[in-house]
PDB file of all heavy atoms in Angstrom:
ATOM      1  N   LEU A   1      86.115  66.839 120.554  1.00 91.00           N
ATOM      2  CA  LEU A   1      84.881  67.025 121.220  1.00 91.00           C
ATOM      3  C   LEU A   1      85.002  67.974 122.454  1.00 91.00           C
ATOM      4  O   LEU A   1      84.028  68.647 122.781  1.00 91.00           O
ATOM      5  CB  LEU A   1      84.376  65.656 121.702  1.00 91.00           C
ATOM      6  CG  LEU A   1      82.951  65.547 122.356  1.00 91.00           C
ATOM      7  CD1 LEU A   1      81.937  66.081 121.337  1.00 91.00           C
ATOM      8  CD2 LEU A   1      82.708  64.133 122.668  1.00 91.00           C
ATOM      9  N   LEU A   2      86.179  68.028 123.041  1.00 89.00           N
ATOM     10  CA  LEU A   2      86.319  68.914 124.218  1.00 89.00           C
ATOM     11  C   LEU A   2      86.709  70.353 123.909  1.00 89.00           C
ATOM     12  O   LEU A   2      86.822  71.207 124.808  1.00 89.00           O
ATOM     13  CB  LEU A   2      87.448  68.261 125.133  1.00 89.00           C
ATOM     14  CG  LEU A   2      87.075  66.926 125.688  1.00 89.00           C
ATOM     15  CD1 LEU A   2      88.306  66.323 126.437  1.00 89.00           C
ATOM     16  CD2 LEU A   2      85.914  67.019 126.699  1.00 89.00           C
ATOM     17  N   LYS A   3      86.835  70.724 122.631  1.00 91.00           N
ATOM     18  CA  LYS A   3      87.097  72.073 122.303  1.00 91.00           C
ATOM     19  C   LYS A   3      85.953  73.023 122.734  1.00 91.00           C
ATOM     20  O   LYS A   3      84.763  72.635 122.626  1.00 91.00           O
ATOM     21  CB  LYS A   3      87.316  72.189 120.785  1.00 91.00           C
ATOM     22  CG  LYS A   3      88.578  71.480 120.311  1.00 91.00           C
ATOM     23  CD  LYS A   3      88.749  71.626 118.784  1.00 91.00           C
ATOM     24  CE  LYS A   3      90.055  71.055 118.219  1.00 91.00           C
ATOM     25  NZ  LYS A   3      90.145  71.098 116.804  1.00 91.00           N
ATOM     26  N   ASP A   4      86.329  74.161 123.058  1.00 90.00           N
ATOM     27  CA  ASP A   4      85.342  75.150 123.623  1.00 90.00           C
ATOM     28  C   ASP A   4      84.248  75.509 122.510  1.00 90.00           C
ATOM     29  O   ASP A   4      83.144  75.762 122.861  1.00 90.00           O
ATOM     30  CB  ASP A   4      85.983  76.492 123.942  1.00 90.00           C
ATOM     31  CG  ASP A   4      86.804  76.290 125.300  1.00 90.00           C
ATOM     32  OD1 ASP A   4      86.557  75.306 125.986  1.00 90.00           O
ATOM     33  OD2 ASP A   4      87.679  77.157 125.445  1.00 90.00           O
ATOM     34  N   GLU A   5      84.654  75.468 121.233  1.00 91.00           N
ATOM     35  CA  GLU A   5      83.762  75.869 120.217  1.00 91.00           C
ATOM     36  C   GLU A   5      82.782  74.722 119.798  1.00 91.00           C
ATOM     37  O   GLU A   5      81.773  74.957 119.004  1.00 91.00           O
ATOM     38  CB  GLU A   5      84.486  76.353 118.919  1.00 91.00           C
ATOM     39  CG  GLU A   5      85.368  75.245 118.281  1.00 91.00           C
ATOM     40  CD  GLU A   5      86.769  75.303 118.793  1.00 91.00           C
ATOM     41  OE1 GLU A   5      87.044  75.717 119.944  1.00 91.00           O
ATOM     42  OE2 GLU A   5      87.704  74.908 118.009  1.00 91.00           O
ATOM     43  N   ILE A   6      82.906  73.573 120.299  1.00 93.00           N
ATOM     44  CA  ILE A   6      82.062  72.487 120.038  1.00 93.00           C
ATOM     45  C   ILE A   6      80.896  72.499 121.087  1.00 93.00           C
ATOM     46  O   ILE A   6      81.086  72.277 122.312  1.00 93.00           O
ATOM     47  CB  ILE A   6      82.740  71.078 120.057  1.00 93.00           C
ATOM     48  CG1 ILE A   6      83.844  71.078 118.974  1.00 93.00           C
ATOM     49  CG2 ILE A   6      81.721  70.021 119.794  1.00 93.00           C
ATOM     50  CD1 ILE A   6      83.382  71.316 117.616  1.00 93.00           C
ATOM     51  N   SER A   7      79.635  72.626 120.597  1.00 95.00           N
ATOM     52  CA  SER A   7      78.537  72.719 121.572  1.00 95.00           C
ATOM     53  C   SER A   7      77.311  72.168 120.910  1.00 95.00           C
ATOM     54  O   SER A   7      77.229  72.157 119.518  1.00 95.00           O
ATOM     55  CB  SER A   7      78.335  74.195 122.010  1.00 95.00           C
ATOM     56  OG  SER A   7      77.186  74.202 122.978  1.00 95.00           O
ATOM     57  N   PHE A   8      76.342  71.827 121.579  1.00 96.00           N
ATOM     58  CA  PHE A   8      75.056  71.340 121.061  1.00 96.00           C
ATOM     59  C   PHE A   8      74.390  72.420 120.309  1.00 96.00           C
ATOM     60  O   PHE A   8      74.607  73.634 120.691  1.00 96.00           O
ATOM     61  CB  PHE A   8      74.104  70.855 122.146  1.00 96.00           C
ATOM     62  CG  PHE A   8      73.794  71.721 123.244  1.00 96.00           C
ATOM     63  CD1 PHE A   8      72.739  72.603 123.166  1.00 96.00           C
ATOM     64  CD2 PHE A   8      74.522  71.821 124.384  1.00 96.00           C
ATOM     65  CE1 PHE A   8      72.418  73.557 124.115  1.00 96.00           C
ATOM     66  CE2 PHE A   8      74.187  72.694 125.444  1.00 96.00           C
ATOM     67  CZ  PHE A   8      73.157  73.552 125.367  1.00 96.00           C
ATOM     68  N   ASN A   9      73.526  72.062 119.358  1.00 97.00           N
ATOM     69  CA  ASN A   9      72.840  73.124 118.574  1.00 97.00           C
ATOM     70  C   ASN A   9      71.318  73.017 118.857  1.00 97.00           C
ATOM     71  O   ASN A   9      70.853  72.343 119.764  1.00 97.00           O
ATOM     72  CB  ASN A   9      73.147  72.886 117.097  1.00 97.00           C
ATOM     73  CG  ASN A   9      72.741  71.565 116.533  1.00 97.00           C
ATOM     74  OD1 ASN A   9      71.542  71.152 116.725  1.00 97.00           O
ATOM     75  ND2 ASN A   9      73.621  70.877 115.911  1.00 97.00           N
ATOM     76  N   SER A  10      70.547  73.875 118.127  1.00 98.00           N
ATOM     77  CA  SER A  10      69.120  74.017 118.449  1.00 98.00           C
ATOM     78  C   SER A  10      68.380  72.622 118.225  1.00 98.00           C
ATOM     79  O   SER A  10      67.298  72.448 118.802  1.00 98.00           O
ATOM     80  CB  SER A  10      68.471  75.148 117.562  1.00 98.00           C
ATOM     81  OG  SER A  10      68.674  74.821 116.223  1.00 98.00           O
ATOM     82  N   ALA A  11      68.844  71.737 117.407  1.00 98.00           N
ATOM     83  CA  ALA A  11      68.253  70.460 117.170  1.00 98.00           C
ATOM     84  C   ALA A  11      68.401  69.576 118.373  1.00 98.00           C
ATOM     85  O   ALA A  11      67.413  68.939 118.848  1.00 98.00           O
ATOM     86  CB  ALA A  11      68.828  69.731 115.938  1.00 98.00           C
ATOM     87  N   HIS A  12      69.621  69.580 118.963  1.00 98.00           N
ATOM     88  CA  HIS A  12      69.814  68.787 120.189  1.00 98.00           C
ATOM     89  C   HIS A  12      68.915  69.448 121.304  1.00 98.00           C
ATOM     90  O   HIS A  12      68.335  68.658 122.113  1.00 98.00           O
ATOM     91  CB  HIS A  12      71.349  68.921 120.662  1.00 98.00           C
ATOM     92  CG  HIS A  12      72.323  68.333 119.748  1.00 98.00           C
ATOM     93  ND1 HIS A  12      73.087  69.019 118.843  1.00 98.00           N
ATOM     94  CD2 HIS A  12      72.669  67.029 119.516  1.00 98.00           C
ATOM     95  CE1 HIS A  12      73.864  68.244 118.171  1.00 98.00           C
ATOM     96  NE2 HIS A  12      73.660  67.025 118.552  1.00 98.00           N
ATOM     97  N   GLN A  13      68.909  70.693 121.368  1.00 98.00           N
ATOM     98  CA  GLN A  13      68.119  71.382 122.432  1.00 98.00           C
ATOM     99  C   GLN A  13      66.613  71.090 122.317  1.00 98.00           C
ATOM    100  O   GLN A  13      65.980  70.828 123.350  1.00 98.00           O
ATOM    101  CB  GLN A  13      68.409  72.870 122.413  1.00 98.00           C
ATOM    102  CG  GLN A  13      67.733  73.632 123.539  1.00 98.00           C
ATOM    103  CD  GLN A  13      68.408  73.322 124.854  1.00 98.00           C
ATOM    104  OE1 GLN A  13      69.522  73.657 125.143  1.00 98.00           O
ATOM    105  NE2 GLN A  13      67.610  72.623 125.743  1.00 98.00           N
ATOM    106  N   ALA A  14      66.168  71.102 121.071  1.00 98.00           N
ATOM    107  CA  ALA A  14      64.669  70.901 120.826  1.00 98.00           C
ATOM    108  C   ALA A  14      64.346  69.396 121.320  1.00 98.00           C
ATOM    109  O   ALA A  14      63.255  69.201 121.811  1.00 98.00           O
ATOM    110  CB  ALA A  14      64.364  71.081 119.404  1.00 98.00           C
ATOM    111  N   LEU A  15      65.198  68.501 121.030  1.00 98.00           N
ATOM    112  CA  LEU A  15      64.853  67.123 121.466  1.00 98.00           C
ATOM    113  C   LEU A  15      64.885  66.965 122.973  1.00 98.00           C
ATOM    114  O   LEU A  15      64.040  66.331 123.503  1.00 98.00           O
ATOM    115  CB  LEU A  15      65.948  66.128 120.880  1.00 98.00           C
ATOM    116  CG  LEU A  15      65.869  65.811 119.426  1.00 98.00           C
ATOM    117  CD1 LEU A  15      67.070  65.168 118.847  1.00 98.00           C
ATOM    118  CD2 LEU A  15      64.597  64.965 119.086  1.00 98.00           C
ATOM    119  N   ALA A  16      65.844  67.638 123.596  1.00 98.00           N
ATOM    120  CA  ALA A  16      65.865  67.595 125.058  1.00 98.00           C
ATOM    121  C   ALA A  16      64.668  68.279 125.686  1.00 98.00           C
ATOM    122  O   ALA A  16      64.055  67.797 126.670  1.00 98.00           O
ATOM    123  CB  ALA A  16      67.162  68.191 125.610  1.00 98.00           C
ATOM    124  N   ASP A  17      64.265  69.399 125.163  1.00 98.00           N
ATOM    125  CA  ASP A  17      63.126  70.106 125.654  1.00 98.00           C
ATOM    126  C   ASP A  17      61.820  69.310 125.422  1.00 98.00           C
ATOM    127  O   ASP A  17      60.971  69.318 126.273  1.00 98.00           O
ATOM    128  CB  ASP A  17      62.988  71.455 124.916  1.00 98.00           C
ATOM    129  CG  ASP A  17      64.107  72.437 125.327  1.00 98.00           C
ATOM    130  OD1 ASP A  17      64.811  72.207 126.405  1.00 98.00           O
ATOM    131  OD2 ASP A  17      64.357  73.459 124.671  1.00 98.00           O
ATOM    132  N   PHE A  18      61.724  68.665 124.257  1.00 97.00           N
ATOM    133  CA  PHE A  18      60.518  67.889 123.985  1.00 97.00           C
ATOM    134  C   PHE A  18      60.440  66.728 124.987  1.00 97.00           C
ATOM    135  O   PHE A  18      59.408  66.484 125.538  1.00 97.00           O
ATOM    136  CB  PHE A  18      60.494  67.398 122.557  1.00 97.00           C
ATOM    137  CG  PHE A  18      59.341  66.538 122.170  1.00 97.00           C
ATOM    138  CD1 PHE A  18      58.234  67.219 121.672  1.00 97.00           C
ATOM    139  CD2 PHE A  18      59.349  65.181 122.301  1.00 97.00           C
ATOM    140  CE1 PHE A  18      57.016  66.435 121.332  1.00 97.00           C
ATOM    141  CE2 PHE A  18      58.185  64.491 122.019  1.00 97.00           C
ATOM    142  CZ  PHE A  18      57.074  65.075 121.477  1.00 97.00           C
ATOM    143  N   GLU A  19      61.512  66.024 125.190  1.00 97.00           N
ATOM    144  CA  GLU A  19      61.477  64.921 126.129  1.00 97.00           C
ATOM    145  C   GLU A  19      61.048  65.369 127.527  1.00 97.00           C
ATOM    146  O   GLU A  19      60.228  64.694 128.235  1.00 97.00           O
ATOM    147  CB  GLU A  19      62.924  64.309 126.237  1.00 97.00           C
ATOM    148  CG  GLU A  19      63.037  63.210 127.200  1.00 97.00           C
ATOM    149  CD  GLU A  19      64.480  62.830 127.448  1.00 97.00           C
ATOM    150  OE1 GLU A  19      65.348  63.084 126.735  1.00 97.00           O
ATOM    151  OE2 GLU A  19      64.735  62.108 128.458  1.00 97.00           O
ATOM    152  N   SER A  20      61.548  66.472 127.911  1.00 97.00           N
ATOM    153  CA  SER A  20      61.262  66.971 129.280  1.00 97.00           C
ATOM    154  C   SER A  20      59.789  67.309 129.494  1.00 97.00           C
ATOM    155  O   SER A  20      59.292  67.310 130.709  1.00 97.00           O
ATOM    156  CB  SER A  20      62.088  68.201 129.674  1.00 97.00           C
ATOM    157  OG  SER A  20      61.720  69.358 128.961  1.00 97.00           O
ATOM    158  N   HIS A  21      58.996  67.509 128.501  1.00 95.00           N
ATOM    159  CA  HIS A  21      57.641  67.882 128.593  1.00 95.00           C
ATOM    160  C   HIS A  21      56.671  66.803 128.016  1.00 95.00           C
ATOM    161  O   HIS A  21      55.452  66.904 128.258  1.00 95.00           O
ATOM    162  CB  HIS A  21      57.330  69.210 127.878  1.00 95.00           C
ATOM    163  CG  HIS A  21      58.012  70.420 128.418  1.00 95.00           C
ATOM    164  ND1 HIS A  21      59.260  70.875 127.990  1.00 95.00           N
ATOM    165  CD2 HIS A  21      57.617  71.241 129.476  1.00 95.00           C
ATOM    166  CE1 HIS A  21      59.599  71.940 128.715  1.00 95.00           C
ATOM    167  NE2 HIS A  21      58.707  72.166 129.626  1.00 95.00           N
ATOM    168  N   PHE A  22      57.209  65.764 127.455  1.00 95.00           N
ATOM    169  CA  PHE A  22      56.321  64.826 126.800  1.00 95.00           C
ATOM    170  C   PHE A  22      55.772  63.813 127.797  1.00 95.00           C
ATOM    171  O   PHE A  22      56.529  63.351 128.626  1.00 95.00           O
ATOM    172  CB  PHE A  22      57.085  64.011 125.691  1.00 95.00           C
ATOM    173  CG  PHE A  22      56.369  62.916 124.966  1.00 95.00           C
ATOM    174  CD1 PHE A  22      55.204  63.376 124.219  1.00 95.00           C
ATOM    175  CD2 PHE A  22      56.691  61.645 124.991  1.00 95.00           C
ATOM    176  CE1 PHE A  22      54.549  62.460 123.535  1.00 95.00           C
ATOM    177  CE2 PHE A  22      56.002  60.680 124.344  1.00 95.00           C
ATOM    178  CZ  PHE A  22      54.820  61.112 123.559  1.00 95.00           C
ATOM    179  N   ALA A  23      54.536  63.633 127.790  1.00 94.00           N
ATOM    180  CA  ALA A  23      53.832  62.839 128.809  1.00 94.00           C
ATOM    181  C   ALA A  23      53.909  61.301 128.539  1.00 94.00           C
ATOM    182  O   ALA A  23      53.761  60.544 129.469  1.00 94.00           O
ATOM    183  CB  ALA A  23      52.375  63.274 128.966  1.00 94.00           C
ATOM    184  N   GLY A  24      54.180  60.936 127.331  1.00 95.00           N
ATOM    185  CA  GLY A  24      54.154  59.494 126.970  1.00 95.00           C
ATOM    186  C   GLY A  24      55.585  58.912 127.104  1.00 95.00           C
ATOM    187  O   GLY A  24      56.504  59.405 127.815  1.00 95.00           O
ATOM    188  N   GLN A  25      55.825  57.785 126.400  1.00 97.00           N
ATOM    189  CA  GLN A  25      57.058  57.070 126.433  1.00 97.00           C
ATOM    190  C   GLN A  25      57.958  57.642 125.335  1.00 97.00           C
ATOM    191  O   GLN A  25      57.547  57.718 124.095  1.00 97.00           O
ATOM    192  CB  GLN A  25      56.904  55.597 126.206  1.00 97.00           C
ATOM    193  CG  GLN A  25      58.255  54.831 126.314  1.00 97.00           C
ATOM    194  CD  GLN A  25      58.048  53.309 126.377  1.00 97.00           C
ATOM    195  OE1 GLN A  25      57.218  52.825 127.105  1.00 97.00           O
ATOM    196  NE2 GLN A  25      58.694  52.604 125.547  1.00 97.00           N
ATOM    197  N   PHE A  26      59.205  57.964 125.665  1.00 98.00           N
ATOM    198  CA  PHE A  26      60.149  58.614 124.701  1.00 98.00           C
ATOM    199  C   PHE A  26      61.491  57.999 124.875  1.00 98.00           C
ATOM    200  O   PHE A  26      61.966  57.822 125.943  1.00 98.00           O
ATOM    201  CB  PHE A  26      60.217  60.073 125.000  1.00 98.00           C
ATOM    202  CG  PHE A  26      61.255  60.871 124.127  1.00 98.00           C
ATOM    203  CD1 PHE A  26      60.794  61.469 123.008  1.00 98.00           C
ATOM    204  CD2 PHE A  26      62.556  60.960 124.485  1.00 98.00           C
ATOM    205  CE1 PHE A  26      61.691  62.164 122.217  1.00 98.00           C
ATOM    206  CE2 PHE A  26      63.438  61.602 123.672  1.00 98.00           C
ATOM    207  CZ  PHE A  26      63.021  62.248 122.563  1.00 98.00           C
ATOM    208  N   LYS A  27      62.060  57.597 123.792  1.00 98.00           N
ATOM    209  CA  LYS A  27      63.485  57.133 123.763  1.00 98.00           C
ATOM    210  C   LYS A  27      64.251  57.758 122.558  1.00 98.00           C
ATOM    211  O   LYS A  27      63.721  57.636 121.416  1.00 98.00           O
ATOM    212  CB  LYS A  27      63.386  55.604 123.673  1.00 98.00           C
ATOM    213  CG  LYS A  27      64.866  54.996 123.759  1.00 98.00           C
ATOM    214  CD  LYS A  27      65.539  55.283 125.160  1.00 98.00           C
ATOM    215  CE  LYS A  27      64.920  54.439 126.269  1.00 98.00           C
ATOM    216  NZ  LYS A  27      65.670  54.578 127.570  1.00 98.00           N
ATOM    217  N   LEU A  28      65.425  58.178 122.834  1.00 98.00           N
ATOM    218  CA  LEU A  28      66.313  58.742 121.886  1.00 98.00           C
ATOM    219  C   LEU A  28      67.409  57.781 121.662  1.00 98.00           C
ATOM    220  O   LEU A  28      68.180  57.473 122.600  1.00 98.00           O
ATOM    221  CB  LEU A  28      66.787  60.092 122.268  1.00 98.00           C
ATOM    222  CG  LEU A  28      67.840  60.837 121.404  1.00 98.00           C
ATOM    223  CD1 LEU A  28      67.294  61.050 120.027  1.00 98.00           C
ATOM    224  CD2 LEU A  28      68.317  62.133 122.096  1.00 98.00           C
ATOM    225  N   VAL A  29      67.558  57.189 120.498  1.00 98.00           N
ATOM    226  CA  VAL A  29      68.589  56.337 120.081  1.00 98.00           C
ATOM    227  C   VAL A  29      69.600  56.978 119.171  1.00 98.00           C
ATOM    228  O   VAL A  29      69.123  57.557 118.197  1.00 98.00           O
ATOM    229  CB  VAL A  29      68.062  54.988 119.427  1.00 98.00           C
ATOM    230  CG1 VAL A  29      69.155  54.057 119.017  1.00 98.00           C
ATOM    231  CG2 VAL A  29      67.051  54.315 120.227  1.00 98.00           C
ATOM    232  N   THR A  30      70.814  57.017 119.538  1.00 98.00           N
ATOM    233  CA  THR A  30      71.749  57.794 118.631  1.00 98.00           C
ATOM    234  C   THR A  30      72.920  56.918 118.181  1.00 98.00           C
ATOM    235  O   THR A  30      73.393  56.022 118.901  1.00 98.00           O
ATOM    236  CB  THR A  30      72.339  59.038 119.400  1.00 98.00           C
ATOM    237  OG1 THR A  30      73.161  59.743 118.467  1.00 98.00           O
ATOM    238  CG2 THR A  30      73.189  58.678 120.614  1.00 98.00           C
ATOM    239  N   GLN A  31      73.258  57.096 116.947  1.00 97.00           N
ATOM    240  CA  GLN A  31      74.433  56.444 116.375  1.00 97.00           C
ATOM    241  C   GLN A  31      75.681  57.211 116.700  1.00 97.00           C
ATOM    242  O   GLN A  31      76.794  56.733 116.414  1.00 97.00           O
ATOM    243  CB  GLN A  31      74.302  56.386 114.891  1.00 97.00           C
ATOM    244  CG  GLN A  31      73.172  55.461 114.409  1.00 97.00           C
ATOM    245  CD  GLN A  31      73.013  55.551 112.891  1.00 97.00           C
ATOM    246  OE1 GLN A  31      72.359  56.442 112.364  1.00 97.00           O
ATOM    247  NE2 GLN A  31      73.507  54.541 112.184  1.00 97.00           N
ATOM    248  N   ASN A  32      75.520  58.459 117.215  1.00 96.00           N
ATOM    249  CA  ASN A  32      76.637  59.322 117.481  1.00 96.00           C
ATOM    250  C   ASN A  32      77.416  58.900 118.763  1.00 96.00           C
ATOM    251  O   ASN A  32      76.744  58.498 119.782  1.00 96.00           O
ATOM    252  CB  ASN A  32      76.177  60.726 117.586  1.00 96.00           C
ATOM    253  CG  ASN A  32      75.572  61.216 116.280  1.00 96.00           C
ATOM    254  OD1 ASN A  32      75.849  60.655 115.196  1.00 96.00           O
ATOM    255  ND2 ASN A  32      74.699  62.199 116.408  1.00 96.00           N
ATOM    256  N   VAL A  33      78.706  59.153 118.741  1.00 96.00           N
ATOM    257  CA  VAL A  33      79.560  58.810 119.967  1.00 96.00           C
ATOM    258  C   VAL A  33      79.868  60.080 120.670  1.00 96.00           C
ATOM    259  O   VAL A  33      80.629  59.999 121.662  1.00 96.00           O
ATOM    260  CB  VAL A  33      80.799  58.028 119.504  1.00 96.00           C
ATOM    261  CG1 VAL A  33      80.413  56.641 118.905  1.00 96.00           C
ATOM    262  CG2 VAL A  33      81.666  58.770 118.562  1.00 96.00           C
ATOM    263  N   ASP A  34      79.355  61.263 120.244  1.00 96.00           N
ATOM    264  CA  ASP A  34      79.639  62.499 120.998  1.00 96.00           C
ATOM    265  C   ASP A  34      78.654  62.597 122.151  1.00 96.00           C
ATOM    266  O   ASP A  34      77.775  61.773 122.388  1.00 96.00           O
ATOM    267  CB  ASP A  34      79.543  63.612 120.040  1.00 96.00           C
ATOM    268  CG  ASP A  34      78.165  63.830 119.422  1.00 96.00           C
ATOM    269  OD1 ASP A  34      77.212  63.965 120.135  1.00 96.00           O
ATOM    270  OD2 ASP A  34      78.041  63.894 118.204  1.00 96.00           O
ATOM    271  N   ASN A  35      78.843  63.659 122.989  1.00 96.00           N
ATOM    272  CA  ASN A  35      78.047  63.847 124.110  1.00 96.00           C
ATOM    273  C   ASN A  35      77.048  64.982 124.027  1.00 96.00           C
ATOM    274  O   ASN A  35      76.630  65.580 125.067  1.00 96.00           O
ATOM    275  CB  ASN A  35      78.970  64.128 125.354  1.00 96.00           C
ATOM    276  CG  ASN A  35      79.723  65.425 125.306  1.00 96.00           C
ATOM    277  OD1 ASN A  35      79.900  65.973 124.230  1.00 96.00           O
ATOM    278  ND2 ASN A  35      80.168  65.952 126.454  1.00 96.00           N
TER     279      ASN A  35
END
């Protein structure tokens, strides 16, 4: 997970961007253990 080539992709980014602008209640639940 700490390798330089491992990075978030556009799906991760889209979720973060949507959350930051969404006016309602938003919760992201993940089964993933990465960061």
Side-chain angles (χ1 to χ4, degrees):
L1 185 59
L2 293 173
K3 290 180 179 178
D4 290 340
E5 62 267 27
I6 301 299
S7 180
F8 59 87
N9 60 54
S10 58
H12 297 103
Q13 186 67 69
L15 286 166
D17 291 345
F18 181 86
E19 177 191 345
S20 69
H21 293 95
F22 183 59
Q25 181 169 313
F26 177 94
K27 183 65 73 172
L28 178 58
V29 180
T30 186
Q31 296 173 279
N32 299 336
V33 296
D34 61 59
N35 67 338

